[in-house]
Amino acid sequence: MVPMDMCTPCCISQLACCCGSAACSCCCNCCPKIKQSTGTRIMYAFYFLLVTVICVIMMSPTVDQELRDKIPFYSELCERMNAGENCKTLVGYSAVYKVCFGMACFFLLFSIFTIRVNNSQGCRAAIHNGFWLLKFIALAACCAGGFFLPDEGTFLEVWRYVGATGGFIFLLIQLMLLVEFAHRWNTNWSSGVKYNRLWYAALAFVTLVLFSVAVGAVVFMGLFYTHPEACLLNKIFLGINGSLCLIVSLLAISPCIQKLQPTSGLLQPGVISVYVMYLTFSAFSSKPKEMVEKDGVNTTVCVFPFNSGLESDMKIVTTMGTIILFGCVLYSCLTSTTRRSSAALRVCRNSEPETERARCCFCFGDDTEDYDEEKTGSGQNVVYDEREGTIYSYSYFHFVFFLGSLYVMMTVTNWFHYDGHKIEKLLEGSWSVFWIKMASCWVCLILYMWTLFAPMVCPKRFEA
């Protein structure tokens, strides 16, 4: 049994975190220390993830049916809540639009509220870093408020185009961060080569694995997503994307690029190639099915092998797609506000000299190093890394989450083809989803090629 004198300080610290400006931390003393800025971003990410899960549930008829079967007096409860027959106003694409509208408003208001906050000691910074219970209530109120908007038809029509615009912008940021991630990975591990040759072996091994996966994906899609009598677009785009990946790989190791960027190698195009092949596969999976007549019977061709198997196989594919969606969104939201990533989004080199230290988990590296540490009772220790000033833009951080809310809304509801869409058909899309993903492949490749040629075109912006 835990002694009362150990629980009391932890309860007080959690109360100060929920209703005051104190930083949040775990009650377990064995947890590693956490920075205040990291804890804040994790809490906002948790709120974002919670609302996203609710949206996924709203788009799932399976969950809706389970609620009807398991909750007693479900119909009567829905009628008392004025939610319509079987709570039909709380499910479907319109409900997701309203909930995401509330979440987007929450982050947009905080983005405006925290404009030009450069000191973490002010009242606006205190609200940003604390008062989590009150902010949770505010978020819930915003999401619930979306269900009381007048003229629902006009709202849904206008909000759809607003969501599409914000979703495209977020997708562009996500692709730029992927390119930055590839460059950072190569730079970090290359910095360890001069101290330990094992880093060179690690670079070579990972590069080999990445290109093996990319080539394997090309072969896989060539076997299952092409057909002699159908799937002409698949053949064309698979050839184009595969050729473009080969071109950027050769450019990365060309003498003219190596002269300006000595650290440029095959690791970056390996990462880009794998992601492009994933997007190509996802686009092919999202395209409406094609059929050919074989022995007098219409047969579906160019489909993922799981589609013709058991229903459980399709659930596995859907689960993987949902997890990848969550991972990409959270990574983009959490990393786009670091100083290094912000410089990458502006396509320039940081004026401060970088002292890289090779690490396996390089993406969790710190922008700064030594800060004051404070004990929080018997729980986790908090490192206050913003005493001298903020280390990331609060306003931009919330704005990225605002765009992420719109991206999740459009993705979960299948972009422009939302009528009758179900979350179980996340990987079964339409022509709009197909073209969005295919365009993302080309944008990603163009962005990477620009980072290779940018030092030639704008040498002053890339002077260290």
Side-chain angles (χ1 to χ4, degrees):
M1 186 174 181
V2 181
M4 183 63 67
D5 57 348
M6 293 181 63
C7 292
T8 302
C10 181
C11 293
I12 293 176
S13 65
Q14 296 304 313
L15 184 63
C17 158
C18 292
C19 303
S21 60
C24 282
S25 61
C26 298
C27 288
C28 183
N29 194 28
C30 63
C31 294
K33 60 185 179 182
I34 186 173
K35 293 182 179 179
Q36 180 189 28
S37 62
T38 303
T40 297
R41 285 181 281 186
I42 289 176
M43 287 298 296
Y44 282 114
F46 173 74
Y47 284 178
F48 180 86
L49 186 61
L50 180 63
V51 178
T52 303
V53 170
I54 293 175
C55 292
V56 170
I57 292 174
M58 286 178 167
M59 289 298 295
S60 175
T62 304
V63 175
D64 182 36
Q65 188 61 43
E66 287 292 323
L67 291 176
R68 295 184 192 182
D69 297 339
K70 299 295 175 62
I71 298 180
F73 308 107
Y74 181 78
S75 300
E76 292 80 355
L77 183 63
C78 291
E79 291 178 2
R80 290 187 179 182
M81 294 171 57
N82 294 325
E85 184 181 358
N86 292 323
C87 295
K88 63 179 181 180
T89 62
L90 301 180
V91 296
Y93 84 92
S94 62
V96 172
Y97 271 38
K98 295 170 185 176
V99 170
C100 287
F101 171 78
M103 180 168 63
C105 288
F106 174 82
F107 284 115
L108 182 61
L109 289 174
F110 265 92
S111 177
I112 298 173
F113 178 72
T114 54
I115 289 177
R116 300 180 69 87
V117 174
N118 300 317
N119 192 315
S120 62
Q121 304 301 319
C123 62
R124 289 189 294 164
I127 294 175
H128 168 80
N129 291 310
F131 299 96
W132 293 106
L133 178 60
L134 301 180
K135 286 188 288 191
F136 178 79
I137 295 174
L139 175 61
C142 288
C143 293
F147 289 89
F148 298 95
L149 292 172
D151 196 1
E152 178 177 316
T154 304
F155 162 73
L156 293 177
E157 187 67 22
V158 173
W159 187 239
R160 176 177 63 168
Y161 290 102
V162 173
T165 304
F168 281 127
I169 297 174
F170 182 82
L171 189 58
L172 181 62
I173 293 176
Q174 183 175 299
L175 294 175
M176 295 177 73
L177 287 174
L178 175 73
V179 175
E180 185 268 341
F181 170 81
H183 280 292
R184 184 176 179 184
W185 188 357
N186 184 76
T187 301
N188 185 269
W189 281 23
S190 297
S191 66
V193 171
K194 52 187 174 183
Y195 302 110
N196 191 334
R197 301 295 293 181
L198 288 177
W199 286 109
Y200 184 82
L203 272 172
F205 175 75
V206 171
T207 302
L208 179 63
V209 170
L210 289 172
F211 276 103
S212 299
V213 171
V215 172
V218 172
V219 174
F220 174 81
M221 286 184 282
L223 291 174
F224 293 102
Y225 283 88
T226 60
H227 192 274
E229 303 175 10
C231 307
L232 178 61
L233 286 179
N234 291 14
K235 300 171 189 175
I236 295 174
F237 290 138
L238 182 60
I240 291 175
N241 292 350
S243 300
L244 289 175
C245 290
L246 177 61
I247 290 173
V248 297
S249 300
L250 296 176
L251 281 174
I253 57 176
S254 62
C256 58
I257 300 297
Q258 289 285 320
K259 183 179 179 180
L260 293 174
Q261 301 188 49
T263 59
S264 178
L266 289 174
L267 180 64
Q268 301 103 308
V271 174
I272 301 301
S273 298
V274 169
Y275 190 71
V276 167
M277 287 300 108
Y278 161 71
L279 286 178
T280 305
F281 159 73
S282 184
F284 290 169
S285 300
S286 301
K287 188 166 64 71
K289 296 179 175 61
E290 296 186 37
M291 306 187 74
V292 296
E293 187 174 342
K294 187 176 181 180
D295 298 330
V297 179
N298 288 331
T299 306
T300 304
V301 296
C302 304
V303 294
F304 192 58
F306 283 169
N307 285 358
S308 58
L310 298 175
E311 184 180 352
S312 59
D313 293 331
M314 195 58 209
K315 291 182 179 179
I316 294 174
V317 176
T318 303
T319 303
M320 289 177 59
T322 307
I323 292 174
I324 291 172
L325 168 65
F326 287 165
C328 290
V329 170
L330 289 179
Y331 176 80
S332 302
C333 292
L334 293 175
T335 61
S336 61
T337 49
T338 61
R339 287 189 292 199
R340 182 193 296 263
S341 296
S342 298
L345 294 177
R346 296 193 302 271
V347 195
C348 63
R349 183 168 295 166
N350 198 338
S351 59
E352 299 178 2
E354 296 185 7
T355 55
E356 283 286 348
R357 181 173 59 88
R359 299 180 301 272
C360 290
C361 299
F362 64 92
C363 53
F364 296 102
D366 303 323
D367 287 319
T368 46
E369 294 179 355
D370 298 322
Y371 306 100
D372 297 331
E373 183 175 334
E374 181 171 309
K375 300 282 185 180
T376 56
S378 59
Q380 186 180 24
N381 295 337
V382 177
V383 178
Y384 287 88
D385 56 340
E386 293 189 313
R387 292 194 185 279
E388 297 181 0
T390 60
I391 67 171
Y392 65 98
S393 171
Y394 292 173
S395 180
Y396 179 62
F397 171 81
H398 289 292
F399 187 72
V400 172
F401 267 99
F402 163 73
L403 295 177
S405 303
L406 301 180
Y407 177 76
V408 166
M409 179 184 76
M410 298 306 294
T411 304
V412 170
T413 57
N414 206 27
W415 290 85
F416 292 103
H417 294 261
Y418 48 76
D419 291 318
H421 181 65
K422 304 174 183 177
I423 196 62
E424 284 81 358
K425 297 183 179 180
L426 182 63
L427 294 185
E428 293 183 16
S430 57
W431 283 113
S432 62
V433 178
F434 170 80
W435 287 113
I436 288 171
K437 293 179 179 179
M438 196 56 64
S440 299
C441 295
W442 302 329
V443 171
C444 184
L445 288 164
I446 291 172
L447 287 173
Y448 177 65
M449 292 178 68
W450 167 246
T451 62
L452 295 178
F453 290 112
M456 300 182 192
V457 180
C458 309
K460 291 184 179 180
R461 290 177 63 88
F462 284 82
E463 291 177 357

